[in-house]
């Protein structure tokens, strides 16, 4: 949907400055998520830790021209052609706009609120109904004061049903979400203790959540909780109450029985006097409760009991907050560290118990302080201790000051307590876990991800030095060759060509690099976990990594119809729309990419979906560094341009284009298009010079010995002393990336600046050098490659390319970064 900026100003009641006639299609609240600046409206939100007004000038420099602000900054005067909508509160303006947008559509909407289960119920309803009608739903768990408006903004004329979540943590929040979602059917999943500290009682919180149903026609909930019944009556809701119960036959939907049988659960219910049994492929209590809510909603929508019985066995697990992964020593880890309250703990413990229905394992719970319970600590941890005993936990590990202070209540079970996650990791007891089913349940601030990603310090006398100033210098050299509007993608794949992707990425982010590119999703996830915020492109996405791509907001290269269709299906399953991807076209390299003859077919697929947004289209030059291939390079560029034109004419918008790599920037600069990809040149290697060396591989002389004439050195006695020799041993071998073919004099290492030939075979961890003519001592430095001995020298000895030398340096070689 599109709105003119003038329409939006009227809707949100804003004062318009520097007017504009532009059209808005995308709402932006996070400056790091910018995709199409020309159609974007940025809301400068103010939070406890940040202020969106700080990023207005930066976004303006990226061609954003429309801003909703609450205060005028002097630098805004310089943004001559920008349009500012001045309002008291940008977040309230966002909500008013979303509410207006919602009011334009008469399609039925299901709104889901509650302490737990919102996302599962939403996703299962989608699974059950998406074949019948076009559904717009909240992406993932977009249910907050910001997430709900962005979810509802997805509604358009093609929608036939909306399913949206509403989450609150403070009094008064539902009053703002209700007109945004305005559900016809409201589902209250349950009332737990999450965010209880912000409410005076559970009654107050229940009343707040039920305000979502103020204008609803139907309210669905479990009447076995008398609090919900009482609160619904107190609010005098006009909605018809569709209640379900396991105890009252007077309920609209009476649950006769719940039978757990091996791998599934049989639910028998009575509705309108008719008894029906359905099966779901889950056994935990949480799934049963969520499934019953779905049954009630389907019945309310007119779905027959027979159809429900047919569809429920097909429900699939929702990849959300609880993860089950294989771990060391035959252990399994259940990671549910998203939230922490008594109800969610009980649900997770129930899941842990059901997970071990077949194979007997030791049940271990690692729990952090519960910070948002609203219950006095002594009472809270007594309840937890009782719950842990009830769920037959064998070993309890508590982490946090509060648990440490209340450790006396956890008697009658194996237990140990730590004040911090760091203390737990340092103690090392986790290394002795064996055949255990381990539940991780903790508040985010305790960083429980460190428990499963415990790292050991790698120490080695061989080091790779990385000059971060050189990275910046080389980046700026290439940037100076480009138009100011041309974006740069910097390659940090393969551990940033051996240099260490995280520190290189941090440096590039600081210096306003537009994009980073990695080879596989795990590389991008690691960067995201360590604070890299700028867009990350995944060059070789694997289907098994889709979840990682979505979780960490990575942008995959799409190069085949198989990959394209699979990614569309997964995005659709998760309720994701307009997800940024990059289309690769094969113009002659014949490695990956869509054939140029497939542009019409590709356009057809893209036109029939709304899950993906094509951010860029690109291709790969096969010989940009070879003068003999200039004609072929020009052919590739021309073919790529024609393919882009054909594709854009069909899909109706213009993605960014890029084809040049480092050498292409130097030699075919007129074809820089919208974006370029900077790889080997960033690390100091090109054909034109002017760059600085980035990496230096150095080590230390461990020992020097005299070898008599006639003796041999190394394995196979390949190094023969034809005269008396001084031999130095250095701690680097083929396990470090020092190729075995460098042996027997094929390469010299610089010792105190002098070339020392390798003598004998290279070993796994050690190499011997002939230093007979060099003044050196044990402990002196030896340079394998660097400023004085370029990587290209080593590559020539192996008849290979510098890429292979750089990326061969193993991870056991310590990286040392420096900046001047």
């Amino acid at each position: 949907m599109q709105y003119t900026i003038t329409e939006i100003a009227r809707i949100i009641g804003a004062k318009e400055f520097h007017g504009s006639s532009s059209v808005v299609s995308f709402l932006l609240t996070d400056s790091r998520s910018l995709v199409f600046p020309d159609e974007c409206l940025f809301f400068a939100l103010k939070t406890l830790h940040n202020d969106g007004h700080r990023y207005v000038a930066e976004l303006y420099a990226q061609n954003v021209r429309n801003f909703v602000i609450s205060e005028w900054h002097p630098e805004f005067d310089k943004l001559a052609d920008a349009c500012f909508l001045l309002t008291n509160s940008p977040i309230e303006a966002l909500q008013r706009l979303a509410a207006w947008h919602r009011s334009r559509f008469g399609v039925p909407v299901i709104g889901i609120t509650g302490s737990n289960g919102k996302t599962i119920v939403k996703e299962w309803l989608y699974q059950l109904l998406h074949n019948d009608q076009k559904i717009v739903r909240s992406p993932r768990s977009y249910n907050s004061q910001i997430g709900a408006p962005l979810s509802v903004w997805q509604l358009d004329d093609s929608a036939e049903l909306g399913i949206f979540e509403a989450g609150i943590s403070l009094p008064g929040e539902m009053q703002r979400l209700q007109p945004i979602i305005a559900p016809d059917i409201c589902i209250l999943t349950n009332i737990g203790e999450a965010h209880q500290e912000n409410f005076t009682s559970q009654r107050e919180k229940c009343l707040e959540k039920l305000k979502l149903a103020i204008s609803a026609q139907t309210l669905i909930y479990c009447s076995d909780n008398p609090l919900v019944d009482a609160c619904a009556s107190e609010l005098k809701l006009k909605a018809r109450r569709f209640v379900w119960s396991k105890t009252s036959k007077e309920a609209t939907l009476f649950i006769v029985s719940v039978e757990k049988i091996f791998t599934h659960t049989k639910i028998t219910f009575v509705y309108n006097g008719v008894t029906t049994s359905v099966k779901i492929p889950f056994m935990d209590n949480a799934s049963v409760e969520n499934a019953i809510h779905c049954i009630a909603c389907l019945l309310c929508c007119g779905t027959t009991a027979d159809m429900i019985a047919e569809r429920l066995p097909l429900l699939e697990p929702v990849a959300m907050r609880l993860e089950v992964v294989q771990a060391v020593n035959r252990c399994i880890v259940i990671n549910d560290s998203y939230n922490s309250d008594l109800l969610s703990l009980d649900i997770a413990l129930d899941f842990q118990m059901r997970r071990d229905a077949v194979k007997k394992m030791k049940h271990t719970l690692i729990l952090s302080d519960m910070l948002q319970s609203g219950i006095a600590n002594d009472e809270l941890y007594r309840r937890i201790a009782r719950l842990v005993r009830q769920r037959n936990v064998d070993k309890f590990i508590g982490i946090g000051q509060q648990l440490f202070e209340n450790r006396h209540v956890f008697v009658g079970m194996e237990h140990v307590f730590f004040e911090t996650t760091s203390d737990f990791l340092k103690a090392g007891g986790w290394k002795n876990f064996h055949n255990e089913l381990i539940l991780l349940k903790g508040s985010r601030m305790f960083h429980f991800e460190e428990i499963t990603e415990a790292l050991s310090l790698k120490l080695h006398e061989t080091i790779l030095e990385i000059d971060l100033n050189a990275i910046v210098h080389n980046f700026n050299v290439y940037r100076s060759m480009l138009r100011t509007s041309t974006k740069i993608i910097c390659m940090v794949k393969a551990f940033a060509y051996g240099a260490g992707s995280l520190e290189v990425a941090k440096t590039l982010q600081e210096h306003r690099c537009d994009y980073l590119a990695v080879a596989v999703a795990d590389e991008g996830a690691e960067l995201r976990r360590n604070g890299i915020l700028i867009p990350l492109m995944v060059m070789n996405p694997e289907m098994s990594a889709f979840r990682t791509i979505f979780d960490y907001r990575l942008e995959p290269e799409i190069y085949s119809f198989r990959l394209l269709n699979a990614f569309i299906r997964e995005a659709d399953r998760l309720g994701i729309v307009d997800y940024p991807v990059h289309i690769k076209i094969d113009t002659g390299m014949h490695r990956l990419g869509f054939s140029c003859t497939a542009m019409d077919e590709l356009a057809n697929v893209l036109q029939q979906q709304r899950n993906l947004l094509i951010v860029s289209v690109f291709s790969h030059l096969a010989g940009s560094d070879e003068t003999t291939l200039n004609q072929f390079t020009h052919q590739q560029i021309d073919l790529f341009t024609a393919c882009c034109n054909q594709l854009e004419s069909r899909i109706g918008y213009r993605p960014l284009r890029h084809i040049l790599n480092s050498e292409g920037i130097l030699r075919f600069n007129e074809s820089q298009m919208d974006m370029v990809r900077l790889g080997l040149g960033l690390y100091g290697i090109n054909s034109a010079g002017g760059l600085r060396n980035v990496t230096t591989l150095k080590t230390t002389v461990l020992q020097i010995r005299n070898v008599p004439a006639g003796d041999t050195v190394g394995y196979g006695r390949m190094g023969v002393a034809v005269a008396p020799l001084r031999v130095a041993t250095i701690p680097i071998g083929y396990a470090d990336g020092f190729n075995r073919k460098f042996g027997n004099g094929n390469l010299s290492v610089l010792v105190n600046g002098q070339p020392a030939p390798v003598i004998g075979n290279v070993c796994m961890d050690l190499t011997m050098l002939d230093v007979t003519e060099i003044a050196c001592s044990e402990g002196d430095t030896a340079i394998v490659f660097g400023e004085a001995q370029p990587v290209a020298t080593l590559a020539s000895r192996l008849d290979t390319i510098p890429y292979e030398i750089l990326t061969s340096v193993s991870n056991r070689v310590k990286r040392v970064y420096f900046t001047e």
Side-chain angles (χ1 to χ4, degrees):
M1 296 295 296
Q2 293 183 332
Y3 291 83
T4 68
I5 201 69
T6 302
E7 286 177 318
I8 292 175
R10 176 179 53 80
I11 292 167
I12 67 176
K15 189 177 295 184
E16 188 175 349
F17 292 91
H18 295 182
S20 170
S21 59
S22 58
V23 172
V24 170
S25 302
F26 301 95
L27 306 183
L28 182 68
T29 60
D30 186 334
S31 62
R32 299 165 298 190
S33 301
L34 179 64
V35 179
F36 289 105
D38 294 340
E39 302 173 58
C40 171
L41 175 61
F42 176 66
F43 291 80
L45 306 182
K46 299 184 74 170
T47 67
L48 289 175
H49 305 291
N50 213 340
D51 183 352
H53 295 82
R54 298 175 186 170
Y55 305 102
V56 168
E58 178 182 311
L59 287 168
Y60 179 87
Q62 298 178 68
N63 294 321
V64 176
R65 291 296 181 267
N66 300 306
F67 304 91
V68 177
I69 60 173
S70 58
E71 55 192 42
W72 189 268
H73 289 201
E75 62 267 25
F76 297 170
D77 290 320
K78 303 174 184 178
L79 312 182
D81 57 339
C83 178
F84 292 96
L85 303 184
L86 183 62
T87 182
N88 291 331
S89 170
I91 190 169
E92 290 179 10
L94 171 67
Q95 292 166 349
R96 282 196 296 272
L97 178 59
W100 173 273
H101 184 71
R102 163 69 180 96
S103 70
R104 293 183 56 186
F105 302 94
V107 298
V109 168
I110 300 169
I112 306 170
T113 190
S115 296
N116 299 94
K118 296 185 292 294
T119 301
I120 297 291
V121 172
K122 177 201 68 186
E123 293 300 322
W124 280 0
L125 285 174
Y126 176 80
Q127 290 182 26
L128 294 165
L129 295 170
H130 77 279
N131 286 328
D132 299 331
Q133 50 201 319
K134 179 68 178 295
I135 299 174
V136 173
R137 72 195 195 279
S138 305
R140 318 285 315 241
S141 18
Y142 272 38
N143 56 36
S144 67
Q145 298 292 297
I146 298 171
L150 296 178
S151 298
V152 171
W153 186 254
Q154 300 175 83
L155 282 172
D156 59 21
D157 292 329
S158 66
E160 297 174 320
L161 174 67
I163 309 177
F164 302 112
E165 297 179 45
I168 60 166
S169 59
L170 293 167
E173 288 188 334
M174 192 62 82
Q175 184 176 346
R176 294 190 287 272
L177 294 185
Q178 191 280 329
I180 297 170
I181 298 174
D184 301 283
I185 298 174
C186 178
I187 300 174
L188 177 65
T189 57
N190 51 52
I191 296 294
E193 293 174 351
H195 305 295
Q196 187 59 50
E197 75 280 5
N198 298 323
F199 296 89
T200 59
S201 64
Q202 283 211 345
R203 171 182 165 279
E204 182 188 22
K205 184 168 63 177
C206 184
L207 287 170
E208 182 71 22
K209 289 182 180 291
L210 283 172
K211 288 177 183 177
L212 181 63
I214 283 177
S215 64
Q217 298 172 16
T218 304
L219 172 62
I220 297 172
Y221 63 92
C222 176
S223 61
D224 292 341
N225 185 345
L227 174 64
V228 181
D229 250 332
C231 289
S233 298
E234 184 176 341
L235 284 175
K236 299 180 180 178
L237 296 175
K238 297 179 181 179
R240 175 175 72 105
R241 299 188 196 181
F242 191 114
V243 300
W244 64 268
S245 172
K246 293 181 180 179
T247 59
S248 174
K249 294 182 180 180
E250 303 304 315
T252 317
L253 176 66
F254 175 55
I255 308 302
V256 177
S257 63
V258 174
E259 302 173 70
K260 299 182 179 182
I261 310 168
F262 299 110
T263 60
H264 67 274
T265 299
K266 179 182 177 182
I267 302 171
T268 301
F269 62 85
V270 176
Y271 176 67
N272 283 344
V274 178
T275 301
T276 305
S277 292
V278 301
K279 293 180 181 179
I280 62 170
F282 305 95
M283 297 182 64
D284 58 287
N285 292 341
S287 294
V288 172
E289 182 179 70
N290 293 333
I292 294 173
H293 279 116
C294 291
I295 292 169
C297 187
L298 291 176
L299 290 170
C300 181
C301 292
T303 307
T304 65
D306 288 342
M307 183 65 72
I308 293 171
E310 179 182 325
R311 294 184 179 182
L312 256 68
L314 304 179
L315 287 175
E316 297 179 356
V318 176
M320 200 183 61
R321 298 164 185 164
L322 187 148
E323 297 176 322
V324 179
V325 295
Q326 296 293 323
V328 297
N329 300 330
R330 298 178 61 196
C331 292
I332 295 174
V333 169
I334 302 171
N335 185 1
D336 188 33
S337 53
Y338 178 83
N339 60 8
S340 185
D341 61 73
L342 276 171
L343 180 58
S344 67
L345 175 60
D346 189 24
I347 292 170
L349 286 169
D350 177 72
F351 183 88
Q352 180 187 41
M353 186 171 66
R354 298 297 171 188
R355 185 71 172 77
D356 194 27
V358 178
K359 177 177 159 185
K360 180 62 179 172
M361 306 175 77
K362 186 174 185 177
H363 287 200
T364 298
L365 169 62
I366 304 178
L367 181 71
S368 80
D369 284 350
M370 201 167 284
L371 302 177
Q372 299 180 337
S373 69
I375 305 172
N377 284 347
D378 55 348
E379 176 61 20
L380 171 65
Y381 293 109
R382 285 194 189 94
R383 292 190 192 181
I384 290 174
R386 287 195 298 269
L387 181 59
V388 169
R389 293 189 193 96
Q390 180 184 353
R391 291 298 188 183
N392 297 318
V393 171
D394 301 302
K395 179 166 65 179
F396 179 85
I397 299 173
I399 297 178
Q401 184 66 38
Q402 294 176 10
L403 273 164
F404 190 83
E405 292 172 353
N406 289 273
R407 59 191 181 278
H408 59 277
V409 303
F410 294 88
V411 295
M413 68 187 80
E414 181 182 349
H415 60 263
V416 62
F417 296 86
F418 302 89
E419 293 194 19
T420 68
T421 301
S422 178
D423 291 342
F424 166 77
L425 292 171
K426 288 177 181 177
W430 51 273
K431 297 177 183 178
N432 299 318
F433 288 172
H434 181 74
N435 196 37
E436 299 181 33
L437 185 58
I438 305 160
L439 172 60
L440 299 180
K441 188 71 177 168
S443 300
R444 284 176 172 172
M445 66 171 289
F446 286 89
H447 299 291
F448 270 20
E449 66 272 13
E450 295 178 10
I451 294 175
T452 52
E453 297 176 7
L455 302 175
S456 59
L457 183 63
K458 300 178 178 66
L459 297 175
H460 197 8
E461 288 196 55
T462 298
I463 63 173
L464 185 70
E465 287 186 345
I466 297 96
D467 183 350
L468 297 178
N469 290 108
I471 289 280
V472 174
H473 171 83
N474 298 339
F475 177 71
N476 287 331
V477 166
Y478 279 94
R479 184 152 60 180
S480 69
M481 302 177 189
L482 304 171
R483 297 185 298 268
T484 56
S485 61
T486 303
K487 300 179 184 297
I488 300 178
I489 305 175
C490 284
M491 298 291 153
V492 293
K493 63 179 182 176
F495 205 48
Y497 293 25
S501 52
L502 179 57
E503 291 300 326
V504 172
K506 286 181 177 179
T507 301
L508 293 168
Q509 178 172 261
E510 180 183 350
H511 288 82
R512 305 297 183 92
C513 176
D514 301 290
Y515 256 90
L516 298 176
V518 295
V520 295
D522 285 346
E523 292 178 326
E526 182 67 16
L527 293 179
R528 283 281 188 254
R529 285 193 292 266
N530 286 280
I532 299 304
L533 307 175
I534 60 178
L536 280 168
M537 183 177 177
V538 180
M539 305 296 285
N540 304 314
E542 298 168 331
M543 293 191 185
S544 60
F546 284 176
R547 178 174 178 180
T548 299
I549 288 172
F550 287 123
D551 284 348
Y552 291 96
R553 192 69 181 174
L554 309 177
E555 301 181 12
E557 165 191 317
I558 304 294
Y559 54 80
S560 70
F561 286 106
R562 176 173 174 264
L563 180 61
L564 174 63
N565 290 324
F567 200 73
I568 290 173
R569 284 195 300 270
E570 183 66 7
D572 193 57
R573 189 178 73 85
L574 295 173
I576 292 173
V577 297
D578 290 338
Y579 195 87
V581 300
H582 304 261
I583 297 293
K584 185 168 188 179
I585 298 174
D586 177 17
T587 57
M589 189 165 177
H590 299 324
R591 185 173 63 179
L592 292 175
F594 289 95
S595 168
C596 290
T597 60
M599 290 302 100
D600 283 336
E601 184 181 356
L602 175 58
N604 289 338
V605 175
L606 295 175
Q607 286 177 318
Q608 294 171 13
Q609 59 84 42
R610 57 182 309 216
N611 305 97
L612 310 186
L613 190 66
I614 312 306
V615 177
S616 81
V617 180
F618 73 104
S619 190
H620 214 109
L621 297 177
S624 61
D625 56 341
E626 293 287 343
T627 57
T628 58
L629 297 177
N630 283 358
Q631 182 179 356
F632 184 76
T633 298
H634 284 297
Q635 289 175 359
Q636 280 193 276
I637 293 170
D638 292 342
L639 186 56
F640 174 66
T641 300
C643 289
C644 288
N645 291 339
Q646 182 180 357
L647 186 62
E648 290 166 10
S649 68
R650 292 287 309 281
I651 64 175
Y653 60 94
R654 188 185 188 282
L656 301 170
R657 303 180 182 186
H658 51 108
I659 194 170
L660 297 186
N661 54 11
S662 297
E663 283 296 306
I665 297 170
L666 294 175
R667 304 188 63 244
F668 302 92
N669 193 264
E670 70 282 357
S671 299
Q672 60 187 262
M673 302 184 185
D674 303 303
M675 197 150 58
V676 296
R677 302 188 301 275
L678 181 55
L680 195 60
L682 182 66
Y683 302 95
I685 301 170
N686 71 8
S687 61
L691 304 180
R692 287 174 52 180
N693 177 69
V694 171
T695 54
T696 299
L697 181 59
K698 58 169 47 175
T699 188
T700 302
V701 175
L702 292 179
Q703 186 180 43
I704 297 176
R705 68 171 62 248
N706 294 315
V707 177
D711 277 11
T712 58
V713 177
Y715 286 119
R717 306 193 70 191
M718 297 299 293
V720 180
V722 296
L725 299 177
R726 289 180 76 230
V727 175
T729 301
I730 57 176
I732 187 171
Y734 52 80
D736 302 293
F738 191 73
N739 198 290
R740 197 167 182 271
K741 293 180 180 179
F742 288 142
N744 302 300
N746 193 34
L747 183 72
S748 293
V749 172
L750 301 182
V751 177
N752 291 340
Q754 301 298 311
V758 175
I759 182 169
N761 285 328
V762 173
C763 308
M764 180 182 290
D765 310 300
L766 301 166
T767 296
M768 286 70 74
L769 307 175
D770 181 355
V771 294
T772 305
E773 304 299 326
I774 300 173
C776 61
S777 304
E778 293 176 357
D780 284 353
T781 297
I783 304 295
V784 179
F785 63 73
E787 185 71 33
Q789 175 149 289
V791 170
T793 300
L794 279 69
S796 66
R797 296 290 192 275
L798 299 179
D799 193 25
T800 186
I801 54 178
Y803 293 89
E804 182 177 350
I805 303 299
L806 291 173
T807 58
S808 294
V809 180
S810 74
N811 283 341
R812 80 174 188 178
V813 174
K814 184 178 179 180
R815 270 68 176 173
V816 177
Y817 301 89
F818 67 92
T819 181
E820 298 173 359

